[in-house]
């Protein structure tokens, strides 16, 4: 008895979260991709320290949700796995495009794209595949996709920042060196590497100092 895996296309509905209001006074628009296990409405709270009039924050929501504890109490979400990664990545890119289209972000705003933990992979793929010319690309405590090359970012003229905690439980010395090397290969002298004394967590102090 043979089984066959087939593929279909269909429309889905997904949510995303925003913080503050997008107005003529807005200087910076943040597009922030959460890590595994987060929901966007909770992740966006890390950005409450930003000036509310000058900063508008958009937090996409990973579609794949799951119960995180045996008690089925807390729900988290994941962007990608090794299963069907290319197709799932394209789905995420289409979802991101829909958010950008709906928000109607004017070119006079500074676009800051941040990926945290697992969110680094989708944020960087989006910038590379869609050639997003953002003012800052922030890679916070996550892995850089291995398939990305220097050519993917030849168009990029913004600032690139790699940030991680020196006591991050998911990073050892070898992993830190690997991520350094991958980032330098992509961005060269334009890369700014920042470490802080902390674990695998969002560094709100650093975020509040960026703008």
């Amino acid at each position: 008895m043979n089984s066959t895996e087939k593929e279909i296309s269909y429309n889905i509905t997904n949510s995303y979260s925003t913080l503050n209001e997008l107005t003529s006074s807005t200087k910076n628009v943040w597009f922030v991709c959460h890590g595994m296990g987060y929901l966007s409405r909770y992740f966006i709270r890390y950005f409450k320290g930003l000036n509310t009039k000058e900063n508008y924050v958009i937090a996409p929501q990973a579609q794949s949700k799951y119960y995180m504890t045996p008690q089925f109490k807390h729900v988290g979400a994941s962007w990608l796995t090794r299963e069907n990664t290319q197709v799932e990545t394209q789905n995420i890119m289409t979802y991101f495009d829909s958010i950008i289209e709906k928000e109607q972000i004017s070119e006079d705003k500074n676009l800051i794209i941040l990926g945290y933990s697992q969110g680094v992979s989708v944020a960087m793929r989006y910038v590379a595949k869609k050639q997003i010319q953002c003012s800052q690309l922030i890679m916070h405590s996550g892995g850089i996709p291995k398939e990305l090359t220097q050519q993917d970012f030849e168009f990029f003229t913004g600032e690139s920042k790699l940030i991680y905690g020196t006591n991050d439980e998911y990073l050892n010395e070898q992993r830190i060196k690997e991520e350094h090397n991958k980032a330098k290969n992509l961005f060269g002298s334009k890369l700014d590497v920042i470490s802080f004394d902390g674990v695998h967590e969002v560094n709100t102090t650093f975020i509040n100092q960026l703008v």
Side-chain angles (χ1 to χ4, degrees), residues 157-192:
T157 59
E159 299 177 14
S160 55
K161 293 180 170 67
L162 178 69
I163 175 173
Y164 63 93
T166 54
N167 297 311
D168 191 321
E169 56 270 34
Y170 298 106
L171 296 175
N172 54 31
E173 186 175 344
Q174 180 181 353
R175 178 72 186 280
I176 291 173
K177 184 177 180 180
E178 290 175 354
E179 296 305 324
H180 275 202
N181 289 337
K182 284 192 288 186
K184 287 178 181 177
N185 287 336
L186 295 179
F187 302 104
S189 60
K190 295 185 292 184
L191 176 69
D192 189 11

Side-chain angles (χ1 to χ4, degrees), residues 46-110:
Y46 287 110
F47 302 86
K48 285 189 173 181
L50 295 169
N51 183 297
T52 57
K53 292 184 178 180
E54 297 182 353
N55 294 276
Y56 180 64
V57 187
I58 303 168
Q61 174 62 64
Q63 181 71 15
S64 299
K65 300 181 182 69
Y66 57 91
Y67 287 109
M68 297 180 63
T69 62
Q71 292 76 27
F72 302 102
K73 183 177 180 181
H74 299 291
V75 176
S78 172
W79 289 109
L80 291 166
T81 67
R82 67 171 64 94
E83 180 70 19
N84 213 14
T85 305
Q86 290 186 347
V87 173
E88 294 294 339
T89 298
Q90 184 55 52
N91 290 339
I92 292 170
M93 301 298 99
T94 302
Y95 163 59
F96 284 0
D97 280 345
S98 297
I99 295 175
I100 296 297
E101 181 180 358
K102 181 174 182 178
E103 289 295 328
Q104 294 292 301
I105 302 167
S106 59
E107 293 184 358
D108 65 316
K109 313 298 184 187
N110 293 318

